[in-house]
Amino acid sequence: MARRDMRLACAFLALTSCSLAALAEPVRLSLTQTDALAGQALAAGQPRLAYDLSKGLLAADKRNPRAHYYQALALAQAHAYGAAQKKAALAYWHAENDDQRYQAANLAAQVSFADARLTGSQFWLRRAVDHAPDAVARSETVSAFQTVRARNPLRFDFKFSVTPSDNVNNGANSPLNIIDGVPVLGALSPSAQALSGLITTAQAAVSYRVAQSAGRETRLRGRINARRVDISDPVVGLSGEDLSSTVAELGVSQYLRGSSEAVTWKLDLDVGRVWYGGDPLYDFARLGAARHQRLSERVLLSFGGSLEDQQDQASRNADSTVAAGFAGLGVMLAGGGQIGFRVQYRNTDSDGVNRASEQWTGIASYQMGRDIGPASLEFSLGVSQLDYNSYQVGIIAVPGGRDDQSVFGGVTATFKDWGYMGFVPTVTVTSERSSSNISRFDVEETSITLGIRSEF
């Protein structure tokens, strides 16, 4: 018989108790009638009937998205959540428009959640975000995702960026090496001068909640950060591999509610290793603490510190102890924008040559409350002071040590309308200029970073 005119034997309609009476003879239905009856059966709480009716629809067209969707709903009503998720996935992949995709993805998320597969639920909610019919539906889907993520003990984070730069090696902007107070003029090798190239950075992090109670949460964490450098015009004695680095880290974090819900403490203990140029550079153990306090609905205060022990693995006799601290203030503006201020301090104590130092950094940022065209813009401006009480260049002891001042700034554009599954592209333009009493560290750099981050 013709596909569109196929008639289905429906003697099993006698199972319904709503509007269908017991039938002595088989009844033949059109595809349209079968589709409608399947929907009515689901509404009447008859999942078996709806599932069987949908079989006829699939016999006519195995790619029929509505039939797969009906079967997913029927299986969900029967609490067969694993099978329901597979059917909802088929409904999504065979969907003919965004409305069908949104409904199917939402259903797949719901049955995954009901089956305690929270990571799968998050995946399908990210799918649903892409097909939300309007801003309200999108906001509700994002809120659902955040709720599931809060329930999920397992969490993944991933960042990726590619950065063309005119100074991938932090090289000097002059071929001469001049030291203030030293009547000797030196020449820098090509590898010590600014070289252009490409920096690729990827970071993957995973954490798992191992304990939770009122006002307390404990997570085990792992992170790996890989930075790879390619030099546009390689020079003798230096390759991109020599400048590449990797950080591997394991740790545990404890989140504690303070004296009120407005206060949160975060305690961290981390261990790891840093590789540079393909070889181990140092192992580290770090203890940190931070406090976040909401002073009002629009103002957030943060401060904290850390102490890190570094064990040299590169035979430099440069074991170090690093003490660091920060304080930050974030303010939400009436128009939806945000401003932020942050001060950072870092002190490195080491017997290694040219290792002991002290650094202060201040950063101001502003995020606009409205988009400019397709982009959401954020601006930052900062200054830094880095001092080494003792510093050597070859056999020359630098009078008064090394003293660097830096000014840097940047703008980041985030394109939320061009996202995929909640991951959005970003473009960051940064510029930095450093001046020093040692001209080797007079550095200028301009870079453009193309990145991907999660919007929620």
Side-chain angles (χ1 to χ4, degrees), residues 60-285:
D61 181 4
K62 64 180 181 180
R63 299 172 59 88
N64 186 327
R66 291 173 61 86
H68 288 298
Y69 186 74
Y70 286 152
Q71 290 195 342
L73 285 172
L75 290 165
Q77 288 187 8
H79 299 168
Y81 298 122
Q85 187 274 323
K86 294 178 181 179
K87 283 294 183 178
L90 288 172
Y92 176 87
W93 295 118
H94 295 316
E96 298 169 348
N97 53 59
D98 275 346
D99 284 343
Q100 290 181 349
R101 294 185 186 94
Y102 180 71
Q103 292 175 355
N106 259 322
L107 179 57
Q110 292 168 15
V111 295
S112 294
F113 183 84
D115 202 29
R117 289 180 290 111
L118 303 183
T119 301
S121 182
Q122 289 177 240
F123 170 83
W124 284 108
L125 285 169
R126 283 189 177 275
R127 286 279 188 193
V129 165
D130 282 346
H131 309 292
D134 51 49
V136 173
R138 189 181 193 280
S139 178
E140 291 175 347
T141 306
V142 171
S143 179
F145 175 89
Q146 293 169 337
T147 299
V148 176
R149 181 174 59 185
R151 294 278 299 274
N152 192 354
L154 184 62
R155 182 171 297 178
F156 296 95
D157 291 293
F158 178 75
K159 296 179 181 178
F160 179 81
S161 64
V162 176
T163 305
S165 171
D166 60 5
N167 193 347
V168 296
N169 62 327
N170 197 37
N173 56 18
S174 167
L176 301 178
N177 194 20
I178 302 172
I179 304 172
D180 291 354
V182 177
V184 176
L185 181 66
L188 296 175
S189 66
S191 62
Q193 300 173 48
L195 301 173
S196 62
L198 189 70
I199 303 171
T200 303
T201 303
Q203 177 178 299
V206 61
S207 69
Y208 189 82
R209 185 175 61 231
V210 294
Q212 185 179 35
S213 60
R216 184 187 299 266
E217 179 178 298
T218 304
R219 282 186 171 271
L220 298 179
R221 299 180 292 103
R223 179 178 70 94
I224 186 165
N225 191 325
R227 181 180 184 269
R228 296 293 176 261
V229 177
D230 293 295
I231 300 174
S232 299
D233 297 310
V235 297
V236 176
L238 186 68
S239 67
E241 178 63 25
D242 296 328
L243 303 172
S244 298
S245 61
T246 302
V247 180
E249 181 179 290
L250 294 174
V252 58
S253 291
Q254 180 82 63
Y255 299 86
L256 301 171
R257 182 180 298 168
S259 55
S260 69
E261 292 187 359
V263 177
T264 302
W265 284 92
K266 181 173 181 281
L267 308 177
D268 296 314
L269 176 62
D270 301 288
V271 296
R273 168 170 285 191
V274 176
W275 290 263
Y276 190 81
D279 298 318
L281 184 62
Y282 63 85
D283 294 334
F284 65 88

Side-chain angles (χ1 to χ4, degrees), residues 7 10 34 37 45 164 195 248 361 365 373 395 423-424 438 453 456:
R7 305 292 181 174
C10 294
T34 304
L37 283 175
L195 301 173
T361 304
S365 62
I395 62 173
F423 294 96
V424 294
I438 305 172
R453 69 170 181 83
F456 46 80

